[in-house]
Amino acid sequence: MSDATTPAALPTPEPTGSDNSFSRIFGAIVSPKPTFASIVARPTWVLPLVVIAILSLITIFVFSQRVGWRTYMIHQDEQSERAQKQMENMTQEQRDQMLDTQVKVASKIGYVSGAVGIFIAAFIVAGVLLLGFMVIAGTRPTYKQALGIVAYSW
């Protein structure tokens, strides 16, 4: 019997989906109910986040080859009133130096956020989801279950 102030534990349904991470990735799309029941029963999260991080890095690489960080930063500077005000008092050499610095920093941030940012975002969203389960739904899943749900739902 559960106390009114203590949320009930999340019931662990019998998994009908596969425990294979690759089949879970596709199962989350084509048959979500048994797949997420399987994830709750035996939570995993590493493979889907690694796949998302790899796809993010590929996207960033293609962007840097096709568009280029320099072109992107020039466009951003043109759109920013603050950058325009700063550049009014600069010589062309100072502007080029500022642009070179922006390109170096933006490319590094792009690749790092593509690789690590996915994991950080998933950990934060899983924590919020866990809190939501506990407060709104009155259930008490494990953090690993919440992280598995987040990882496969992305």
Side-chain angles (χ1 to χ4, degrees):
M1 186 168 165
S2 74
D3 186 25
T5 59
T6 305
L10 186 66
T12 305
E14 286 298 317
T16 55
S18 173
D19 286 341
N20 179 336
S21 293
F22 287 108
S23 64
R24 282 180 171 181
I25 290 172
F26 296 107
I29 297 168
V30 296
S31 57
K33 189 172 183 174
T35 301
F36 282 102
S38 171
I39 292 166
V40 168
R42 289 182 199 84
T44 59
W45 55 270
V46 175
L47 183 68
L49 292 183
V50 167
V51 168
I52 293 169
I54 290 170
L55 291 174
S56 295
L57 290 173
I58 290 170
T59 302
I60 293 165
F61 176 77
V62 169
F63 168 83
S64 66
Q65 298 300 310
R66 299 287 174 121
V67 176
W69 292 103
R70 187 169 201 81
T71 305
Y72 174 74
M73 292 313 301
I74 290 170
H75 179 71
Q76 289 298 105
D77 288 343
E78 289 172 353
Q79 301 296 318
S80 170
E81 289 181 26
R82 186 175 139 243
Q84 290 295 320
K85 287 180 184 177
Q86 285 179 340
M87 289 191 294
E88 286 176 358
N89 300 325
M90 293 181 169
T91 65
Q92 187 60 39
E93 184 178 299
Q94 290 173 324
R95 289 180 187 180
D96 290 341
Q97 184 179 8
M98 181 183 83
L99 186 59
D100 290 340
T101 303
Q102 287 175 328
V103 168
K104 280 183 189 177
V105 171
S107 64
K108 289 177 184 172
I109 288 174
Y111 283 107
V112 169
S113 66
V116 179
I118 297 298
F119 290 91
I120 293 170
F123 295 148
I124 292 170
V125 170
V128 171
L129 183 64
L130 182 63
L131 181 64
F133 281 147
M134 291 168 49
V135 172
I136 298 169
T139 59
R140 195 175 55 217
T142 65
Y143 182 77
K144 193 173 179 182
Q145 288 172 327
L147 189 55
I149 291 168
V150 168
Y152 286 96
S153 64
W154 282 1

